[in-house]
Amino acid sequence: MSRKVFRSVPVLVLLVVELGWFTPRVLGQAEARPSTENGEWPHYAADSRGTRYSPLAQIDAANFNDLEVAWRFKTDNLGARPEYKLEGTPLMVGGVLYTTGGTRRAAIALDAKTGELIWMHSMREGLRGGLAPRQLSGRGLSYWTDGRGDDRVLYVTPGYRLVALNAKTGVPISSFGVDGVVDLKVGVVYGRDQPIDLETGEIGIHSTPLIAKDMVIVGSSMREGMTVETHNNTKGLVRAFDVRTGELIWTIHTIPRPGEFGNDTWLNESWADNGNVGVWTEMTVDEELGLVYLPVETPTSDFYGGHRPGDNLFAESIVAVDLATGERRWHFQFVHHPIWNFDNCCAPILADITVDGREIKAVAVPSKQAFLYVFDRETGEPVWPIEERPVPQGDVPGEWYSPTQPIPTKPPPYARNYLDVPDDLIDFTPEMRVQALEHLKRFKWAPTPFNPAIVGNVDGMLGAITHGTATNWPGGGYDPETHIVYVPAGNSPGGSRSITPGPEGHSDIRYLLGTGGAAFRMAYAAGTGQNPDATGRGAREIVTPAGGRRPPGTSVQGLPIVKPPYGILAAIDLDRGEIKFQVPHGDTPDDIRNHPALQGMDIPKTGQRGTSGVGLLVTKTLVIMGDPQVTTTPDHPRGAMLRAYDKATGEQVGAVWMPARQSGSPMTYMLEGKQYIVVAISGGNYTGEYLAFSLPG
Amino acid sequence: MVAINTFSDTLDAQETVWGGIYTEEQAKRGEPLYFKECASCHAPDLMGGEAAPALTGGEFIWKWSGLSMGDLFDRMRVSMPQDDPRRVSRQQKADILAFLLFKNDFPVGETELANRTEMLNRITFLAIKP
């Protein structure tokens, strides 16, 4: 069994200026822009259109199982302690791999052939880093070049600083911002435009900055909003800066201010004392049209909106803005008055499609609620009608409910987004289904993802049945040749959501995530408190009701209440608006395969629930995605598999073993005639590692 | 020449988590420590929450099955509690681990769970009793 080895990695920046042997460029000539066409991977999602597509074809169905580990890079010593949640997707440009890693979120450059460290940069941010709402190494970084030798790497630190580095040396560009740094907390406000404290103010980001022409665009994120102390939180924003100088070009207020369009969707002046509505995930851009697509997230307090009556634009909307000026061109709100935490999770995918003979420049947005929303990306016109339909109204005191929500008519939901009773219920045995129906008597369910939360109590109705999460931050991908969108999706509705008044004095929000009579649990963003300068302010002892009990969950004999498949890979044909295939993803989890009540049964591969947490890669012939969970099966020892699917049919055509679950989305590149796949793995006993595969020889 | 092997007593035993590897008293010491240091994320009943996984139940047991107690202990030692792993001592973490084993119905024994990774490496964590 391989043991993790704490290699001592040199921390000093290695100044190697003459890297001629890395790049094919001739000095003095303008270079071709880095592109997947060159076998590179210059952006988090392959390109700034969100496709995760590379046309490389060397690795295919015939040889996928022959892949070997070419090299591996541990991120253990890039911070004060190892990380167990490495989520980055590296970039590859000119023979060099660029990515982030470690509990301090260091930016690193590696030799893409061997994984050898070339340079590393990180900032000691002290208390500011320690209090950051979004810690650990994040999703990666970005690359810009002027095509004449000025090559830069840009990333955002945990303490929310935008850093520009010389891509060859890792040294900050002194002419960018102040000595290479733009302080992104400057200009951030809460309430009625009150500046946040630069040290303690709550804002950060995990996703990568968007490079568009000569601009760098940065979103914003706050803490997880389930149990927060106040609804008057930091206000989210999106800003564009000059990539050369760091000068601010435009700012977008996602919560409209008085006089701005949409301000009246915050009734009772609630725009003033509510916040969040950031853009925490990846943005995309159509440089020809000059439009940036912003996937906007949830307002403060994910599950209770009584302090912000109204539709709350532009929360949980897609907003298309002019690249040069930041002016809004069009928008569409997916959830009016958000109270389900359906925050936009991933890159809006730019797809040029042909529908009923008509060519459309489209944008397709995957979601947690398993809808793929498809629009003409120039005009904002839905490609297929999206209908406002009545949804159940809840009865939580003080809440404001939208009477309708938009429902796409096409394509159909690409995963289950509500628990269909009884057809979706567990059915390994008739007895289990009966038990499931019995459990459900204490929960409120509805045939829609927009099932409102209830004020649950351990002695009464426990909660509202939830949709599960279909797609999350890894997002989907797109094949520009066949016009197929590929999305990973959790397929497991059947959780429970209850809100309840929080402990005395904890919050000014009337209702937080929790169940009456049960012990209160703080919900933190993943990675909270792991920055090297963390203060221990993260965990606190909350006074809980004496004898606070656990509300029963929905599981049946320890098994999910919903029947398999628990997680899937879905393919949607965008020319037709139809689902092309859905296949289970991931081995049947060990606790299900080995469940005493299921022994002797022949249960087809169930897939894994955590599929909402893994991402994919699309190539000339394959869709590649790893398991979100470790299993031990007759076919492989304890580990997770990196799987290859025939992209036309969804048939699994290969799988190679990895020692830990996939925790970051895979990428691919070609270097000196060899194709590589690199994927981040971590979790359980296994610390963060970038694992590179290639064919033998 | 005398070769002194201070670990000779324990080298021969092939131990698993089913062999009575902690004491009830140790688990009792671990209980209040769990509530103080772990329960705010992992829940008083060990069932976890939005950001922290359950420390009981099928998914947890099978996630670690096949690894050693040293693997589990080292994960706790290096990264838990998440905001300040050094706040809780190695001995306290061994006691908390004993409490976790107790809550997962692993049998008690005569010897306390060691607080050293290299000792715990020799005990295999198994979901199913061999």
Side-chain angles (χ1 to χ4, degrees):
Chain A
M1 175 168 71
S2 70
R3 311 290 299 167
K4 62 182 188 301
V5 173
F6 283 75
R7 281 193 221 126
S8 134
V9 169
V11 171
L12 296 174
V13 168
L14 302 175
L15 295 182
V16 183
V17 178
E18 291 303 321
L19 291 179
W21 63 277
F22 276 134
T23 70
R25 302 181 207 140
V26 175
L27 285 173
Q29 285 187 354
E31 305 136 11
R33 272 182 88 178
S35 165
T36 49
E37 296 293 319
N38 305 337
E40 293 168 308
W41 186 279
H43 187 278
Y44 173 82
D47 50 47
S48 52
R49 297 164 65 95
T51 67
R52 302 206 70 86
Y53 175 80
S54 170
L56 295 176
Q58 186 183 82
I59 296 173
D60 60 21
N63 57 35
F64 193 87
N65 286 343
D66 297 333
L67 286 174
E68 303 179 329
V69 175
W71 53 260
R72 52 205 329 151
F73 186 87
K74 296 291 282 188
T75 63
D76 288 0
N77 293 92
L78 294 174
R81 63 166 134 136
E83 67 186 323
Y84 289 88
K85 206 171 198 305
L86 177 65
E87 296 184 337
T89 294
L91 312 183
M92 199 294 274
V93 179
V96 179
L97 202 86
Y98 302 95
T99 189
T100 53
T103 47
R104 200 184 285 281
R105 194 178 302 170
I108 59 178
L110 310 180
D111 182 329
K113 187 172 171 185
T114 62
E116 181 180 356
L117 183 70
I118 300 171
W119 58 251
M120 172 272 224
H121 179 272
S122 63
M123 290 191 71
R124 306 244 154 180
E125 299 186 285
L127 182 69
R128 179 165 163 165
L131 292 178
R134 295 291 165 174
Q135 297 190 6
L136 294 185
S137 49
R139 309 275 150 79
L141 39 65
S142 304
Y143 183 94
W144 173 85
T145 178
D146 72 348
R148 287 184 302 279
D150 184 356
D151 307 329
R152 304 186 181 200
V153 163
L154 293 103
Y155 78 105
V156 181
T157 66
Y160 205 51
R161 292 178 164 102
L162 177 61
V163 181
L165 306 173
N166 180 315
K168 299 181 191 69
T169 64
V171 174
I173 309 263
S174 55
S175 53
F176 182 88
V178 177
D179 295 326
V181 180
V182 169
D183 187 338
L184 294 173
K185 278 190 168 180
V186 173
V188 176
V189 301
Y190 72 100
R192 290 177 189 268
D193 288 334
Q194 290 165 272
I196 64 170
D197 185 282
L198 295 184
E199 285 280 278
T200 62
E202 180 185 311
I203 192 164
I205 195 93
H206 275 148
S207 55
T208 66
L210 174 68
I211 305 292
K213 295 198 178 153
D214 292 336
M215 297 163 71
V216 50
I217 304 171
V218 184
S220 50
S221 177
M222 272 52 77
R223 280 167 50 200
E224 291 276 8
M226 304 158 207
T227 51
V228 291
E229 291 93 12
T230 177
H231 52 80
N232 190 8
N233 200 18
T234 309
K235 286 180 156 58
L237 74 174
V238 179
R239 284 171 295 182
F241 302 87
D242 183 307
V243 78
R244 287 184 171 83
T245 66
E247 194 186 324
L248 178 65
I249 300 174
W250 50 252
T251 302
I252 290 171
H253 295 139
T254 47
I255 297 177
R257 305 298 200 260
E260 293 180 349
F261 178 91
N263 178 259
D264 60 353
T265 63
W266 297 78
L267 306 181
N268 305 342
E269 298 266 303
S270 54
W271 69 269
D273 59 1
N274 282 275
N276 294 53
V277 196
V279 174
W280 60 254
T281 189
E282 303 284 331
M283 300 171 275
T284 50
V285 60
D286 184 328
E287 291 191 356
E288 281 171 16
L289 292 179
L291 288 175
V292 185
Y293 300 94
L294 310 182
V296 185
E297 60 132 350
T298 311
T300 316
S301 180
D302 293 350
F303 303 115
Y304 177 72
H307 303 278
R308 45 175 175 85
D311 277 353
N312 304 147
L313 286 178
F314 292 92
E316 297 190 7
S317 308
I318 181 172
V319 185
V321 305
D322 187 289
L323 172 60
T325 65
E327 273 177 46
R328 182 182 55 90
R329 207 69 90 61
W330 61 263
H331 74 277
F332 191 95
Q333 188 175 45
F334 299 134
V335 183
H336 307 310
H337 188 76
I339 49 173
W340 292 274
N341 198 30
F342 285 147
D343 39 344
N344 268 292
C345 57
C346 53
I349 299 170
L350 306 194
D352 295 341
I353 59 180
T354 307
V355 179
D356 296 329
R358 189 165 63 101
E359 284 182 4
I360 304 176
K361 290 181 195 260
V363 57
V365 192
S367 64
K368 291 182 171 183
Q369 57 272 33
F371 290 132
L372 185 72
Y373 302 89
V374 189
F375 305 89
D376 179 317
R377 65 177 183 264
E378 198 167 3
T379 65
E381 189 69 34
V383 171
W384 298 280
I386 301 179
E387 293 174 357
E388 288 288 332
R389 294 190 196 154
V391 292
Q393 301 292 285
D395 54 11
V396 174
E399 181 61 272
W400 186 96
Y401 293 97
S402 173
T404 64
Q405 296 292 352
I407 311 284
T409 55
K410 270 179 117 170
Y414 55 83
R416 288 187 287 219
N417 58 11
Y418 66 89
L419 186 68
D420 192 11
V421 180
D423 290 344
D424 277 346
L425 296 181
I426 184 173
D427 61 355
F428 296 124
T429 69
E431 177 209 28
M432 288 180 179
R433 175 160 284 195
V434 167
Q435 282 181 1
L437 285 163
E438 194 57 37
H439 281 352
L440 282 179
K441 288 182 179 167
R442 298 191 64 194
F443 297 88
K444 193 157 184 235
W445 79 84
T448 169
F450 302 107
N451 185 20
I454 65 170
V455 180
N457 190 288
V458 291
D459 294 318
M461 289 297 276
L462 294 167
I465 294 292
T466 62
H467 63 292
T469 297
T471 306
N472 205 334
W473 63 267
Y478 175 69
D479 186 341
E481 293 181 8
T482 60
H483 303 180
I484 308 287
V485 163
Y486 297 96
V487 258
N491 196 43
S492 297
S496 166
R497 181 159 299 135
S498 163
I499 56 178
T500 191
E504 186 72 36
H506 171 71
S507 176
D508 63 9
I509 302 170
R510 264 176 244 121
Y511 294 94
L512 304 174
L513 192 71
T515 309
F520 176 74
R521 291 190 326 278
M522 278 295 289
Y524 298 99
T528 297
Q530 293 184 57
N531 185 278
D533 304 307
T535 60
R537 239 180 74 165
R540 70 195 75 182
E541 278 182 77
I542 310 278
V543 177
T544 66
R549 288 161 288 149
R550 172 83 183 198
T554 55
S555 64
V556 174
Q557 297 182 37
L559 296 163
I561 193 170
V562 66
K563 70 183 186 192
Y566 301 126
I568 59 172
L569 168 67
I572 300 120
D573 182 331
L574 278 191
D575 289 339
R576 290 183 167 72
E578 289 169 2
I579 303 217
K580 195 169 152 70
F581 64 72
Q582 290 160 307
V583 294
H585 175 69
D587 285 317
T588 302
D590 288 347
D591 61 320
I592 294 178
R593 188 173 351 94
N594 295 298
H595 198 286
L598 304 180
Q599 290 313 296
M601 291 188 194
D602 185 24
I603 295 171
K605 178 165 116 167
T606 65
Q608 297 172 359
R609 218 176 331 195
T611 303
S612 56
V614 287
L616 47 76
L617 158 67
V618 187
T619 71
K620 196 79 172 178
T621 59
L622 303 173
V623 175
I624 298 165
M625 185 158 74
D627 292 349
Q629 203 174 339
V630 161
T631 54
T632 309
T633 73
D635 295 330
H636 64 75
R638 190 181 182 286
M641 303 304 284
L642 181 69
R643 297 175 194 273
Y645 297 90
D646 179 317
K647 73 179 190 184
T649 65
E651 184 198 346
Q652 183 175 304
V653 295
V656 289
W657 182 86
M658 304 186 295
R661 60 152 291 179
Q662 172 177 312
S663 49
S665 303
M667 51 82 78
T668 189
Y669 56 92
M670 184 75 94
L671 184 59
E672 295 175 16
K674 197 178 253 269
Q675 184 182 356
Y676 296 78
I677 294 171
V678 178
V679 60
I681 61 172
S682 59
N685 69 320
Y686 207 90
T687 60
E689 180 174 275
Y690 286 107
L691 191 58
F693 290 96
S694 66
L695 294 169
Chain B
M1 191 165 68
V2 178
I4 297 174
N5 190 339
T6 57
F7 296 104
S8 59
D9 286 349
T10 46
L11 266 179
D12 296 331
Q14 175 71 21
E15 291 190 78
T16 76
V17 70
W18 295 93
I21 60 168
Y22 68 102
T23 67
E24 194 168 343
E25 196 201 303
Q26 187 181 24
K28 283 203 170 84
R29 284 203 312 266
E31 184 171 4
L33 291 169
Y34 176 84
F35 278 91
K36 181 161 190 280
E37 304 291 352
C38 320
S40 62
C41 294
H42 286 283
D45 61 359
L46 280 68
M47 288 301 290
E50 301 283 342
L55 300 176
T56 186
E59 208 170 308
F60 169 72
I61 298 288
W62 282 102
K63 182 175 173 180
W64 293 91
S65 187
L67 296 178
S68 73
M69 290 301 301
D71 287 313
L72 183 48
F73 182 67
D74 229 39
R75 175 69 200 265
M76 286 172 68
R77 193 183 60 76
V78 168
S79 70
M80 293 291 142
Q82 198 162 265
D83 59 314
D84 188 10
R86 293 182 184 199
R87 180 172 73 232
V88 182
S89 74
R90 183 187 284 270
Q91 181 59 48
Q92 289 174 318
K93 288 186 181 176
D95 295 349
I96 292 171
L97 188 48
F99 171 70
L100 291 185
L101 296 179
F102 178 73
K103 293 295 281 182
N104 281 285
D105 298 320
F106 290 105
V108 299
E110 312 274 300
T111 334
E112 288 210 343
L113 197 67
N115 66 15
R116 306 191 66 82
T117 305
E118 64 272 21
M119 302 300 293
L120 297 177
N121 278 346
R122 290 141 77 227
I123 305 172
T124 311
F125 185 91
L126 288 175
I128 297 181
K129 189 174 176 177

